[in-house]
């Protein structure tokens, strides 16, 4: 949650400006995030921070996209927190993390005075005099070398105290990304059943893991994140939580009950143009044109429809009327497809009431392949095609380039947010967009002057730990039995219809 | 052989070689257990060109048998490639693949600037500068630590060393800002040594209206500077005088803003233009020293940087001149040549009798330096490849 905010603000404001800082501080305060923990020495808060950080590590090590996102946000958060530290605390911190670099001697500094001054923009001659410079190995100072902002002297970068944050960030990034990579590899080995490679680690580590939990996160044990992953993955209590954390979002789950029956089938076409996010608009169009959608699309769109208020009966009618215009006859539809629709509404099989997919889930799991129309258009289409699509939706060319810029920076949800702002002619929707159904609700709210659907938005749920494990149906590594059940059920259906 | 010697077991076997055969058939991921195997294969396949790649985690010849992702480049010399073609917009004498003694000065400048930075800034020791055989130079940096550098560090270094940016669409390719980094000012000092001789007299960059217009395009469009120069230039006698005028005007015209017009022009015309991609990736291939350039026939010989100014690319032996020398030498002492020499000894003697000898000596010095730096290692015969 904290990281999400860091991302949103990072894109909205220029990083490092005062506005960015104060906004971030405000948000962090709101969340009671111990962003000044080292300064305030609040043990309890720090403990919580540690635990959540390492749990997130476990959750976010599972794919390249997740890792990159996680690292980027942690970097920004770290930079902010580090810059808030006072000088003695910086020193203390450096000692603590064992990053003690050797400062250059007075003589050397005197000799290189002019060069030091010339190589560090923004540092006055007096400042050069007063700050200490550290000898940093080249590989730790890459970011500074690249932009020629540091003096190189016989294989060492001489970095002034004020630029140390860059070095430390670099170091932190390397460590974090290594740890995540190792965690991912071990996790994979473990999943494929090659426990032998992990060398019997699971059992004893599992003990430590639970002990660590009991003791509230003893750091030394938690820092074994990577190696403890196998243990964690075999721990049935944790696995669904981890999958859920990285794939899910925190907020209302848009399960259907609240607004069922508000929408009639005749409205759908109009709504799809006005209030659908692009991913759903694309699915709807494909369905109308081809009279068919493959499994991934049916899941994504079907649950979305359920979320915007289609009843089971309406859904059945909707899908049937469309499908029988294609190659499927009514009989075949009733035998096969109807089941999965009822299944989505919790009327078959495990009888779970499934919730619509969040953006995170759409972006990260089950990428579309040939013949599929689901997924997130911002994430899963070529920029060129996306551009054409946006043009056909009559987005202005400046808007398109703004969107493409966000896509380039892999801010897919923000791109969607931009799309929302452009199509609804508002400057700033003022909330982070992270669910297609949220898009729909907000859009309706705006279009109808905020009368009708207001009620639904009123409880921002803190459902982080609510075991909505059904959301991870498609997540690759679901190991819990309940998920397996769902998986096999759905896979079976898929195979059943594979011929069309 | 220098680029592979004295390393732990299996190091050589994990090194990638690639051959270019007849008709531009390119074979990558060759690797050999022992240097002798490479030698045999060279004799058998007679490649037109041999490139050296990285040291991989596994034997490159088996790269297909491995899971993707498992096969990764681990080590590689840091290499630089400076190519005369990249200077085409600033040399009037030749274009593309041609070179002449006039523009070769550019390579001399490039080597001096880069070599200084390599030693004084980056702290490396073992640099082998090699004439590529046609229009450029390569540099192999072979320090143990450098070989292990990550590609991100390599690309940072390339960015650090690059000043001339932008392609055909950019007119002004060098922009300096205050303060000028010591790397740039030190490089400038080197450029200054050559600028008058090379650019003003040799290339005569302000010789006629057409060429000085190109230079004036780099002068900031800030009246009255450019117009003034436009008026003044025809009245001056030659490039040197015109340059003096430009210097005087550009420094006097801007009292407040520091202006680097003069320096920027000098750098744009003379500063080394690296082919960054060769240096950035670990898996990039580069032509082996002592190979024959397929187009010119000239041997890719090491350059003695102590005697850099004397190096003349046109004096470099070609494959045909070497063959001639060998034949002559063989004729001379045919009588002595009756004992049963092992192949290797004969070869060593062979090159010593040709004009290649001094270049091999440069190479041997380089290798010896490296060996001295690395104690207690196997001495291996330095393998000479001028035989294909």
């Amino acid at each position: 949650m904290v990281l999400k905010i860091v991302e949103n603000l990072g894109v909205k404001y220029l990083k490092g400006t005062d506005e960015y800082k104060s906004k971030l501080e405000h948000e962090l305060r709101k969340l009671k995030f111990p962003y000044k923990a080292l300064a305030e020495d609040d043990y309890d808060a720090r403990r919580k921070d540690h635990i959540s950080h390492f749990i997130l590590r476990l959750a976010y090590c599972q794919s390249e996209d997740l890792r990159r996102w996680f690292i980027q946000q942690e970097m920004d958060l770290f930079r902010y927190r580090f810059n808030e530290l006072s000088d003695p605390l910086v020193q203390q911190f450096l000692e603590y993390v064992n990053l003690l670099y050797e400062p250059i001697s007075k003589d050397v500094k005197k000799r290189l005075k002019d060069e030091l001054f010339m190589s560090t923009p923004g540092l006055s001659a007096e400042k050069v005099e007063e700050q200490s410079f550290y000898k940093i190995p080249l590989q730790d100072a890459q970011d500074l070398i690249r932009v020629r902002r540091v003096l190189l002297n016989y294989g060492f970068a001489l970095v002034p105290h004020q630029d140390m944050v860059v070095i430390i960030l670099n170091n932190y990034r390397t460590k974090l990304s290594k740890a995540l990579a190792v965690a991912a590899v071990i996790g994979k080995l473990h999943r494929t059943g090659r426990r032998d490679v992990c060398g019997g680690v699971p059992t004893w580590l599992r003990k430590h893991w639970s002990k660590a939990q009991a003791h509230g996160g003893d750091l030394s044990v938690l820092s074994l994140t990577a190696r403890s992953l196998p243990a964690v993955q075999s721990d049935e209590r944790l696995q669904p939580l981890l999958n859920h954390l990285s794939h899910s979002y925190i907020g209302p789950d848009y399960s259907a009950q609240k607004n069922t029956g508000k929408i009639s089938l005749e409205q759908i076409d109009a709504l799809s143009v006005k209030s659908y996010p692009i991913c759903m608009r694309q699915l709807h169009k494909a369905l109308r044109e081809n009279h068919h959608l493959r499994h991934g699309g049916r899941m994504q769109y079907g649950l979305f429809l359920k979320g915007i208020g289609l009843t089971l009966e309406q859904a059945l009618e909707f899908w049937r009327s469309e499908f029988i215009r294609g190659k499927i006859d009514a009989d075949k539809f009733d035998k096969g497809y109807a089941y999965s629709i009822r299944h989505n509404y919790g009327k078959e099989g495990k009888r779970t009431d499934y919730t619509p997919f969040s953006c995170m889930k759409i972006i990260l799991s089950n990428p579309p392949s040939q013949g599929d129309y689901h997924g997130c258009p911002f994430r899963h289409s070529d920029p060129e095609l996306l551009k054409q699509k946006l043009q056909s939706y009559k987005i202005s060319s400046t808007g398109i380039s703004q969107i493409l810029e966000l896509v380039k920076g892999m801010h897919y949800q923000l791109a969607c947010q931009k799309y929302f702002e452009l199509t609804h002619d508002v400057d700033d929707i003022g909330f982070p967009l992270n669910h297609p159904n949220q898009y729909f609700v907000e859009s309706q709210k705006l279009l109808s002057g905020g009368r009708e659907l207001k009620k639904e938005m009123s409880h921002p749920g803190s459902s982080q730990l609510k075991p909505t494990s059904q959301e991870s149906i498609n997540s690759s590594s679901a190991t819990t039995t309940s998920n397996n059940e769902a998986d096999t059920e759905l896979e079976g259906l898929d195979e059943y219809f594979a011929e069309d | 052989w220098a680029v592979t010697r004295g390393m732990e077991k299996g190091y050589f076997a994990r090194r990638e070689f690639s051959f270019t055969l007849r008709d531009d058939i390119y074979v990558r991921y060759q690797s050999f257990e022992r240097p002798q195997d490479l030698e045999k294969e060279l004799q058998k396949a007679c490649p037109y060109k041999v490139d050296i790649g990285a040291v991989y985690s596994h034997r490159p010849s088996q790269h297909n048998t491995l899971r993707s992702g498992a096969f990764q480049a681990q080590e590689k010399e840091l290499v630089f490639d400076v190519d005369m073609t990249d200077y085409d917009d600033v040399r009037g004498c030749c274009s593309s693949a041609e070179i002449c003694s006039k523009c070769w000065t550019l390579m001399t400048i490039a080597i001096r600037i880069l070599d200084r930075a390599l030693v004084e800034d980056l702290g490396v020791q073992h640099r082998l500068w090699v004439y590529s055989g046609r229009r450029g130079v390569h540099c192999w940096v072979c320090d143990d630590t450098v070989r292990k550098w990550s590609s991100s560090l390599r690309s940072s270094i390339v960015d650090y060393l690059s000043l001339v940016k932008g392609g055909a669409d950019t007119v002004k390719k060098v922009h300096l800002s205050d303060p000028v980094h010591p790397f740039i000012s030190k490089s400038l000092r080197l450029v200054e040594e050559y600028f008058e001789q090379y650019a003003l007299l040799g290339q005569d960059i302000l010789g006629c209206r057409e060429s000085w217009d190109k230079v004036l395009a780099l002068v900031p469009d800030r009246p009255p500077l450019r117009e003034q120069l436009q008026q003044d230039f025809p009245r001056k006698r030659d490039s040197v005088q015109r340059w003096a005028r430009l210097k005087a005007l550009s420094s006097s015209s801007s009292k407040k803003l520091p202006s680097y017009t003069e320096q920027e022009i000098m750098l744009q015309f003379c500063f080394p233009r690296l082919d960054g991609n060769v240096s950035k990736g670990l898996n990039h291939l580069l032509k082996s020293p002592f190979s024959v350039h397929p187009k010119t026939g000239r041997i890719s010989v090491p350059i003695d940087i102590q005697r850099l100014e004397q190096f003349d690319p046109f004096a470099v032996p070609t494959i045909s001149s070497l063959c001639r020398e060998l034949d002559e030498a063989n004729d001379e002492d045919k009588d002595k040549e009756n004992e049963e020499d092992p192949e290797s000894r004969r070869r060593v003697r062979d090159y010593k009798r040709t004009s290649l000898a001094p270049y091999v000596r440069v190479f041997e010095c380089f290798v010896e330096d490296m060996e001295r730096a690395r104690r207690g290692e196997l001495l291996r015969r330095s393998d000479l490849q001028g035989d294909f």
Side-chain angles (χ1 to χ4, degrees):
Chain A
M1 187 67 182
V2 170
L3 297 180
K4 193 84 208 166
I5 284 174
V6 173
E7 180 189 24
N8 286 334
L9 291 179
V11 173
K12 267 196 206 138
Y13 304 99
L14 190 61
K15 283 172 199 170
T17 57
D18 289 340
E19 196 182 2
Y20 170 73
K21 279 185 192 160
S22 66
K23 196 94 177 168
L24 186 56
E25 179 173 353
H26 173 73
E27 293 285 348
L28 292 178
R29 227 181 258 287
K30 224 165 59 186
L31 284 162
K32 297 197 183 68
F33 179 74
Y35 68 102
K36 275 186 174 165
L38 204 54
E40 286 157 5
D41 214 18
D42 176 349
Y43 175 76
D44 207 44
R46 277 174 68 187
R47 208 196 65 196
K48 275 190 195 143
D49 179 27
H50 283 315
I51 297 174
S52 69
H53 170 77
F54 281 98
I55 288 180
L56 284 175
R57 269 199 195 188
L58 287 171
Y60 277 86
C61 75
Q62 300 181 30
S63 87
E64 180 63 33
D65 278 352
L66 285 171
R67 281 200 292 272
R68 210 187 342 234
W69 184 86
F70 179 65
I71 289 175
Q72 185 57 46
Q73 309 320 324
E74 281 283 343
M75 283 298 126
D76 289 348
L77 181 59
F78 184 89
R79 183 181 299 117
Y80 169 74
R81 293 173 80 180
F82 187 85
N83 282 333
E84 295 293 302
L85 292 178
S86 61
D87 273 0
L89 279 170
V90 168
Q91 206 59 41
Q92 200 187 324
F93 173 76
L94 288 181
E95 272 168 47
Y96 179 72
V97 294
N98 243 338
L99 276 179
L100 276 186
Y101 295 109
E102 186 191 339
I104 57 173
S105 69
K106 285 232 163 61
D107 294 348
V108 176
K109 194 163 136 186
K110 207 167 198 176
R111 187 162 50 77
L112 296 174
K113 197 175 66 193
D114 291 341
E115 294 190 13
L116 286 171
F117 169 63
M118 294 305 275
S119 58
T120 24
L123 207 59
S124 63
E126 303 85 65
K127 275 264 172 98
V128 170
E129 203 68 54
E130 131 201 341
Q131 284 200 11
S132 28
F133 282 73
Y134 299 87
K135 262 177 99 170
I136 312 286
L138 297 180
Q139 61 269 20
D140 292 343
Q142 289 176 28
D143 293 348
L144 291 171
I145 297 174
R146 193 183 298 277
V147 291
R148 224 180 280 119
R149 278 185 58 115
V150 67
L151 180 65
L152 296 188
N153 189 258
Y154 290 94
F156 285 97
L158 305 182
V159 180
H161 190 81
Q162 67 169 26
D163 283 341
M164 286 302 281
V165 62
V166 183
I167 307 293
I168 290 157
L169 270 175
N170 200 338
N171 195 290
Y172 180 45
R173 182 203 305 271
T174 319
K175 291 226 169 89
L176 192 57
S177 95
K178 237 184 225 157
L180 290 177
V182 171
V185 168
I186 295 188
K188 214 181 273 166
L189 284 176
H190 187 78
R191 272 200 295 280
T192 50
R194 292 175 62 184
R195 266 169 219 239
D196 51 319
V197 185
C198 314
V201 171
T203 24
W204 68 264
L205 249 174
R206 191 197 304 205
K207 260 187 234 148
H208 278 269
W209 175 259
S210 26
K211 210 162 53 185
Q213 272 192 315
H215 289 243
D218 173 11
L219 239 189
S220 65
V221 179
L222 273 173
S223 66
L224 288 166
T225 325
R227 274 182 281 158
S228 58
L229 192 69
V232 176
Q233 284 195 327
S234 54
D235 192 328
E236 282 161 18
R237 291 163 306 168
L238 278 175
Q239 187 58 39
L241 174 63
L242 292 184
N243 278 333
H244 181 67
L245 264 183
S246 54
H247 283 240
S248 188
Y249 85 112
I250 310 145
D253 61 5
Y254 296 97
S255 51
Q257 292 92 346
K258 304 151 207 157
N259 48 359
T260 38
K262 290 241 172 84
I263 291 185
S264 75
L265 290 182
E266 291 75 49
Q267 290 176 299
I268 286 184
D269 279 326
L271 284 172
S272 82
V273 176
K274 275 191 301 188
S275 289
Y276 275 22
I278 295 194
C279 55
M280 298 305 169
R281 188 168 171 181
Q282 163 175 299
L283 282 165
H284 183 75
K285 184 157 166 274
L287 176 65
R288 285 282 193 233
E289 277 169 10
N290 308 332
H291 315 297
H292 185 258
L293 278 180
R294 298 180 65 194
H295 177 72
R298 294 200 302 274
M299 288 295 285
Q300 184 174 326
Y301 190 34
L303 288 172
F304 171 79
L305 287 174
K306 178 181 163 193
I308 66 171
L310 244 58
T311 62
L312 173 60
E313 291 68 34
Q314 282 179 308
L316 282 170
E317 192 189 328
F318 173 74
W319 289 101
R320 185 200 327 249
S321 66
E322 204 55 57
F323 272 53
I324 55 175
R325 291 170 64 196
K327 283 184 282 181
I328 316 284
D329 58 46
D331 190 39
K332 193 169 172 196
F333 181 87
D334 288 341
K335 270 191 188 141
Y337 294 92
Y339 177 91
S340 76
I341 293 163
R342 285 200 299 274
H343 187 268
N344 275 350
Y345 279 77
K347 304 292 180 208
E348 297 281 359
K350 189 157 57 82
R351 295 185 180 264
T352 311
D353 198 2
Y354 290 96
T355 49
F357 294 170
S358 69
C359 289
M360 208 58 161
K361 183 176 172 67
I362 292 171
I363 289 171
L364 290 170
S365 52
N366 190 23
S369 55
Q370 187 58 41
D372 279 335
Y373 293 91
H374 69 272
C376 171
F378 298 104
R379 167 72 180 85
H380 296 118
S381 11
D382 285 340
E384 205 38 51
L385 292 174
L386 180 61
K387 195 171 154 190
Q388 286 172 15
K389 180 162 289 158
L390 292 171
Q391 276 163 349
S392 76
Y393 291 165
K394 310 250 177 339
I395 304 293
S396 68
S397 59
T398 44
I400 291 180
S401 61
Q402 280 173 317
I403 288 176
L404 290 177
E405 202 49 47
L406 288 164
V407 167
K408 218 162 115 203
M410 300 195 298
H411 304 292
Y412 310 116
Q413 286 165 250
L414 291 165
C416 195
Q417 202 165 319
K418 187 94 229 163
Y419 172 78
F420 184 99
E421 286 162 12
L422 289 167
T423 46
H424 294 80
D425 205 20
V426 286
D427 285 338
D428 184 348
I429 51 173
F431 55 87
L433 184 63
N434 41 30
H435 201 298
N437 287 84
Q438 179 195 15
Y439 184 107
F440 181 81
V441 170
E442 292 294 337
S443 165
Q444 284 291 295
K445 212 158 73 175
L446 268 175
L447 293 175
S448 57
R451 269 174 289 120
E452 259 181 59
L453 294 140
K454 225 176 192 167
K455 287 165 277 165
E456 271 70 48
M457 279 308 293
S458 54
H459 43 272
S462 54
S463 59
Q464 182 174 0
L465 298 180
K466 204 173 127 195
T468 38
S469 59
Q470 62 270 29
E471 278 216 29
S472 41
I473 306 163
N474 284 336
S475 59
S476 53
S477 57
T479 51
T480 54
T481 40
S482 59
N483 272 351
N484 275 342
E485 232 173 72
D487 260 354
T488 34
E489 265 176 45
L490 289 167
E491 269 161 25
L493 274 177
D494 228 14
E495 270 161 32
Y496 185 77
F497 296 114
E499 64 268 30
D500 51 71
Chain B
W1 181 18
V3 276
T4 59
R5 63 190 307 151
M7 299 307 295
E8 79 251 48
K9 221 173 144 206
Y11 196 82
F12 181 82
R14 288 184 281 123
R15 169 77 73 171
E16 175 188 355
F17 292 91
S18 80
F19 296 163
T20 311
L21 306 175
R22 190 198 300 266
D23 300 328
D24 280 340
I25 297 167
Y26 205 65
V27 202
R28 277 200 68 173
Y29 298 120
Q30 306 277 311
S31 70
F32 305 95
E33 273 313 293
R34 297 165 301 156
Q36 292 89 317
D37 297 336
L38 166 64
E39 201 178 316
K40 266 185 217 138
E41 186 63 24
L42 282 174
Q43 283 159 358
K44 203 171 86 198
C46 278
Y48 280 41
K49 184 162 166 271
V50 179
D51 290 310
I52 300 175
V55 174
Y56 285 85
S57 52
H58 301 78
R59 283 186 195 130
S61 52
Q62 300 168 350
H63 77 281
N64 278 330
T65 63
L66 290 155
R67 225 164 13 92
S68 64
F71 180 70
Q72 264 163 0
Q74 286 179 325
E75 289 188 24
K76 164 80 188 296
E77 289 72 22
L78 174 63
V79 290
F80 295 102
D81 180 6
V82 192
D83 213 328
M84 202 63 97
T85 320
D86 298 328
Y87 290 86
D88 274 1
D89 58 325
V90 289
R91 54 183 186 144
C93 51
C94 320
S95 63
S96 67
E98 302 152 6
I99 55 164
C100 67
S101 52
K102 271 189 197 164
C103 52
W104 187 253
T105 315
L106 285 171
M107 288 296 134
T108 311
I109 299 173
I111 294 175
R112 294 221 18 215
I113 288 178
L114 292 175
D115 204 62
R116 188 213 61 78
L118 284 173
V119 176
E120 292 177 19
D121 295 357
L122 303 174
V124 307
Q125 281 190 326
H126 304 291
R127 302 106 43 216
L128 180 68
W129 287 94
V130 183
Y131 171 53
S132 75
R134 186 159 61 163
R135 58 186 172 182
V137 289
H138 299 161
C139 178
W140 296 77
V141 182
C142 300
D143 295 38
D144 283 358
T145 45
V146 175
R147 275 208 292 256
K148 295 189 174 72
W149 279 0
S150 66
S151 63
S152 68
L153 177 53
R154 283 164 208 247
S155 78
S156 311
I157 303 255
V158 170
D159 289 349
Y160 177 83
L161 294 174
S162 306
L163 274 180
V164 184
K165 294 202 171 104
D169 297 336
T170 340
V171 176
K172 193 170 163 78
K173 293 174 183 161
V174 181
H175 296 272
L176 298 185
S177 59
D178 214 26
V180 175
H181 192 277
F183 163 71
I184 300 174
S185 46
K186 286 175 187 173
S187 303
L188 256 172
R189 248 168 271 148
L190 290 170
V191 171
E192 279 161 9
E193 288 179 31
Y194 295 91
F195 192 73
E196 180 170 332
Q197 192 62 39
Y198 159 74
L200 301 181
L201 299 175
Q203 297 280 354
D204 207 14
I205 57 167
L206 300 174
C208 61
R209 179 171 294 277
E210 203 178 289
S211 52
W212 78 53
D213 275 348
K214 263 179 149 179
V215 177
L216 287 180
L218 306 176
V219 174
D221 196 9
R222 192 175 51 213
L225 191 53
R226 200 184 283 178
E227 289 80 359
Q228 184 72 48
L229 288 170
Q230 292 275 23
Q231 287 172 21
D232 289 356
F233 274 6
R235 285 185 230 135
K236 301 285 174 185
R237 199 157 27 89
D238 55 17
S239 282
V240 181
Q241 285 198 355
R242 291 185 187 117
W243 179 251
R245 183 70 191 143
L246 189 151
K247 262 164 89 169
L249 268 186
S250 65
S251 53
S252 71
S253 76
S254 52
K255 285 273 149 48
K256 278 181 190 160
L257 297 163
S259 148
Y260 298 104
T261 310
E262 167 203 343
Q263 286 85 349
E264 284 166 347
I265 294 172
M266 287 166 70
L267 291 172
Q268 173 146 353
F269 275 84
C270 298
F271 192 82
R273 302 175 173 201
L274 290 173
D275 180 348
N277 296 326
V278 181
S279 312
K280 285 175 182 169
L282 267 83
N283 55 359
H284 215 288
L285 297 152
L286 193 61
K287 196 152 67 72
S288 153
F290 286 111
S291 52
V292 179
H293 194 286
K295 298 274 159 39
T296 61
R298 284 202 278 267
I299 311 288
S300 175
V301 291
I303 299 171
D304 182 359
I305 44 171
Q306 307 302 321
R307 303 173 63 240
L308 179 60
E309 313 285 334
Q310 281 92 50
F311 182 83
D312 176 5
F314 298 103
V316 168
T318 65
I319 184 73
S320 44
S321 77
L322 281 183
C323 290
R324 204 165 46 242
E325 287 170 24
L326 277 178
D327 287 345
E328 282 164 16
N330 277 338
D331 287 343
E332 273 172 35
D333 45 25
K334 219 164 202 166
D335 323 323
K336 298 178 213 158
E337 191 82 17
N338 44 15
E339 71 247 68
E340 282 165 48
D341 255 355
E343 173 93 350
S344 57
R345 273 184 58 201
R346 218 193 92 202
R347 178 103 60 73
V348 172
R349 292 238 239 93
D350 276 356
Y351 79 72
K352 281 200 170 146
R353 285 182 306 202
T354 67
S355 52
L356 197 58
Y359 300 107
V360 176
R361 213 164 300 130
V362 173
F363 187 65
E364 280 170 349
C365 286
F366 167 74
V367 173
E368 274 161 27
D369 276 352
M370 269 180 69
E371 291 197 322
R372 220 170 297 134
R374 213 189 279 141
R375 273 179 47 237
E377 54 157 25
L378 277 162
L379 261 165
R380 240 183 279 173
R381 177 174 57 90
S382 88
D383 194 338
L384 169 65
Q385 301 208 5
D387 60 341
F388 49 88

